[in-house]
Amino acid sequence: MIYRDIVIEHDGNAAKLTTYIMDASIEMCDNKRPMILICPGGGYATISDREAEPIAIQLNAMGYHAAVLRYSIAPVRYPVALLQVGESLKYLRRHADEYGILSDKIAVMGFSAGGHLAANFCTFWNRKWLAERLETKSDILKPNGMILCYPVITSGEYAHHDSFKNLLGEKYEEMKRILSLENVVSEDTPECFIWHTKEDATVPVENTLLFVEKMKEKGNAIESHIFDKGDHGLALANRRTMTPDGYALEPTVECWIDYLKKWLEKWKENAL
């Protein structure tokens, strides 16, 4: 296992990228693997441990490399975290041969506000200004897949306003519509796996439904799962990621990771 903390810095703001990269072995044929870049949630105010290493370990068990990005949060404002995702993509592609990463199979995964960050990057990756700020070409930044778990998407009627306020600060009113991501899905947005719960009282399920509808309108591939039970921030929804007071244990939702495994198997084989 290559377990390494890498400083991801842009414009004086540092993030931490932690790699969970499986070792190559002459005993195994599958030594070059896809990479999943994980953005934990926390409302752009904190970074959730429950949506970080436990997720990376699950992905390793499925046969995928993983990396967790602990991006900058409030009072640091947009677009710093977005640029840190881009710097992470650059780093992973630059070291693809060293780490045994399939450079055309890198997906961005996010939970809650981290889902907003992941979806923001996956809908903005080909913006000219982003490549210029990151001193690279858009092709280097291209995400090949997107995994969203109870994501913050909209700044409209069903918004989690605190996430947008933490992200935008004084520019909240000016920029909240620009970052309402159901409005910016394009034909270049990568294929997506997304899930949510109907009982989510923090980030309403309509965030996911709006995103699914826009992906459908653009003809983009998306697999969605809406569960009846379970509040916000379930992570794996099992005992491994429940809180000390028993919150986030929801047996009916545990299967989301099995659905993801099947989706990833199809995604890995898709020609890009």
Side-chain angles (χ1 to χ4, degrees):
M1 171 74 71
I2 302 174
Y3 178 81
R4 184 175 296 169
D5 286 334
I6 297 113
V7 175
I8 299 293
E9 189 165 2
H10 193 92
D11 290 346
N13 294 288
K16 183 172 74 172
L17 183 70
T18 303
T19 64
Y20 297 79
I21 293 172
M22 292 173 287
D23 293 327
S25 170
I26 60 172
E27 296 181 16
M28 296 184 288
C29 63
D30 196 15
N31 282 319
K32 294 202 78 173
R33 301 179 174 92
M35 163 62 73
I36 315 298
L37 175 62
I38 303 164
C39 301
Y44 286 115
T46 62
I47 300 290
S48 171
D49 290 334
R50 298 170 48 251
E51 297 163 348
E53 184 170 88
I55 309 301
I57 290 170
Q58 286 289 315
L59 292 167
N60 284 166
M62 296 178 192
Y64 299 91
H65 296 316
V68 173
L69 178 62
R70 293 181 176 274
Y71 50 90
S72 293
I73 54 176
V76 177
R77 307 301 186 191
Y78 180 84
V80 171
L82 188 71
L83 294 167
Q84 290 167 344
V85 175
E87 293 287 4
S88 298
L89 262 290
K90 283 173 56 180
Y91 175 87
L92 293 170
R93 286 207 161 102
R94 188 167 64 243
H95 293 271
D97 289 339
E98 175 189 351
Y99 290 154
I101 297 170
L102 292 169
S103 61
D104 62 348
K105 288 292 180 182
I106 299 178
V108 185
M109 180 180 196
F111 295 77
S112 190
H116 183 270
L117 177 57
N120 188 186
F121 188 83
C122 289
T123 52
F124 276 49
W125 68 269
N126 56 356
R127 301 285 177 101
K128 183 179 178 181
W129 69 264
L130 189 61
E132 289 175 349
R133 289 283 299 271
L134 292 167
E135 300 180 344
T136 191
K137 297 179 180 179
S138 292
D139 287 350
I140 300 298
L141 302 176
K142 182 180 180 180
N144 308 115
M146 172 172 44
I147 303 161
L148 305 179
C149 309
Y150 40 87
V152 173
I153 294 292
T154 185
S155 65
E157 179 182 357
Y158 301 104
H160 183 251
H161 295 288
D162 285 348
S163 288
F164 287 95
K165 289 175 180 177
N166 288 330
L167 176 64
L168 298 172
E170 294 179 355
K171 294 186 177 180
Y172 170 70
E173 292 295 340
E174 173 188 346
M175 295 200 61
K176 66 179 182 178
R177 177 166 172 76
I178 297 170
L179 294 180
S180 196
L181 301 179
E182 77 276 17
N183 298 323
V184 293
V185 172
S186 74
E187 291 82 358
D188 294 323
T189 303
E191 60 185 298
C192 179
F193 176 96
I194 188 169
W195 71 273
H196 219 121
T197 64
K198 284 173 23 180
E199 292 183 343
D200 193 327
T202 303
V203 178
V205 69
E206 283 82 2
N207 282 259
T208 282
L209 297 177
L210 286 166
F211 196 77
V212 169
E213 183 60 30
K214 291 298 182 179
M215 289 284 283
K216 178 184 173 185
E217 285 181 14
K218 297 297 181 180
N220 299 340
I222 186 163
E223 178 174 321
S224 60
H225 297 274
I226 308 298
F227 297 93
D228 269 341
K229 296 186 178 298
D231 207 337
H232 190 68
L234 292 180
L236 293 172
N238 61 17
R239 292 187 179 279
R240 174 66 183 87
T241 57
M242 76 177 185
T243 64
D245 62 1
Y247 180 79
L249 177 64
E250 182 48 67
T252 63
V253 181
E254 286 184 52
C255 58
W256 80 263
I257 197 75
D258 299 317
Y259 296 156
L260 175 61
K261 180 179 180 180
K262 291 179 176 166
W263 182 86
L264 284 169
E265 288 168 357
K266 292 185 292 182
W267 169 74
K268 181 180 177 181
E269 300 304 322
N270 286 348
L272 298 174

